[in-house]
Amino acid sequence: DIQMTQSPSSLSASVGDRVTITCRPSQSIATYLNWYQQKPGKAPNLLIHAASNLQSGVPSRFSGRGSGTDFTLTISGLQVEDFATYYCQQSYSSPHTFGGGTKVEIK
Amino acid sequence: QVELQESGPGLVKPSETLSLTCTVSGGSINDYYWNWIRQTPGKGLEWIGYIYYSGSFRYNPSLKSRVTMSVDTSKNQFSLRLDSVSAADTALYYCARGFDGSGNYARLTFDYWGQGTLVTVSS
């Protein structure tokens, strides 16, 4: 199985901050990397697919980049509604695996 | 707008079978991969497997011996059966639609999710 390592596991930030989350798979996955946002009591919500493609309806302050074994999710100008937990997921090979999550909290 | 809704018992006894159904509305079940994913505080998000609308499937090897999935295109539903459950199977179970960005390799992105249903394994 491909192991997905996210860092940090949590962070504190203020509204307006630029936040970057990293995801590193245990082997190269080209650009088969997706990002999800999960709020308490809700299902994960797809933000970005194929490393850098913004899902329809997702604000443009979210962006993703990377390939191979190094990926980032950036939120440019954190909003109140962005405080949540973020997960990466590889779709390169089965079983599809997720990172452990990054909880973004209010400073 | 596609919506998914899980249904099934919230409490299952150890060694028995967990059975869940996901009903898809607002879109066809055809041409997509239909997935079960579970979440626990300890293990996080775990992909259980998918069933394609045609009936082909793939399961997570860690659960493969206990999992069976099925699809009923006439009802726009798909189902999960997990045998011989234990406390370790206590989790929030989600159904989710998967699309294949690679063309034909089942490299799945999960774009629609159900709200999740908590299943507790306890006597």
Side-chain angles (χ1 to χ4, degrees):
Chain A
D1 298 6
I2 297 176
Q3 308 303 315
M4 306 297 289
T5 302
Q6 277 184 245
S7 61
S9 57
S10 66
L11 65 90
S12 295
S14 301
V15 172
D17 283 354
R18 179 184 175 94
V19 167
T20 298
I21 299 167
T22 297
C23 180
R24 291 196 170 92
S26 58
Q27 65 184 75
S28 178
I29 59 169
T31 57
Y32 292 100
L33 191 284
N34 307 311
W35 289 100
Y36 302 85
Q37 175 194 67
Q38 187 177 33
K39 296 181 179 179
K42 300 291 188 182
N45 179 53
L46 177 65
L47 295 176
I48 287 170
H49 61 95
S52 61
N53 295 282
L54 200 64
Q55 178 69 353
S56 175
V58 174
S60 59
R61 62 181 178 271
F62 291 92
S63 63
R65 61 183 298 167
S67 66
T69 59
D70 197 2
F71 298 86
T72 57
L73 171 70
T74 298
I75 311 172
S76 300
L78 199 64
Q79 300 298 302
V80 171
E81 59 267 31
D82 301 335
F83 291 96
T85 300
Y86 294 84
Y87 295 93
C88 60
Q89 172 244 328
Q90 63 85 14
S91 56
Y92 181 77
S93 69
S94 182
H96 304 292
T97 46
F98 292 83
T102 296
K103 187 173 184 179
V104 177
E105 298 175 301
I106 301 174
K107 184 181 286 185
Chain B
Q1 175 74 355
V2 175
E3 294 186 352
L4 289 79
Q5 179 67 58
E6 304 90 351
S7 59
L11 181 63
V12 182
K13 289 183 168 57
S15 80
E16 295 190 348
T17 295
L18 179 160
S19 295
L20 296 174
T21 295
C22 183
T23 301
V24 181
S25 59
S28 173
I29 206 164
N30 292 339
D31 295 327
Y32 289 97
Y33 296 81
W34 301 95
N35 298 265
W36 290 97
I37 297 164
R38 67 184 185 181
Q39 185 173 29
T40 61
K43 292 187 72 175
L45 289 160
E46 180 180 30
W47 175 75
I48 299 170
Y50 74 71
I51 185 153
Y52 195 43
Y53 77 100
S54 64
S56 63
F57 57 86
R58 177 164 276 184
Y59 305 145
N60 191 322
S62 68
L63 298 166
K64 186 177 180 179
S65 64
R66 300 192 290 130
V67 170
T68 304
M69 294 184 186
S70 60
V71 62
D72 186 337
T73 54
S74 68
K75 293 182 178 179
N76 253 28
Q77 291 179 334
F78 61 105
S79 299
L80 167 70
R81 174 187 164 113
L82 182 65
D83 296 327
S84 305
V85 298
S86 69
D89 295 309
T90 293
L92 185 58
Y93 284 78
Y94 293 102
C95 57
R97 189 179 85 169
F99 70 87
D100 182 0
S102 67
N104 208 24
Y105 294 94
R107 287 171 163 157
L108 302 183
T109 298
F110 309 116
D111 59 348
Y112 288 97
W113 297 61
Q115 64 185 20
T117 187
L118 178 62
V119 178
T120 302
V121 178
S122 175
S123 56

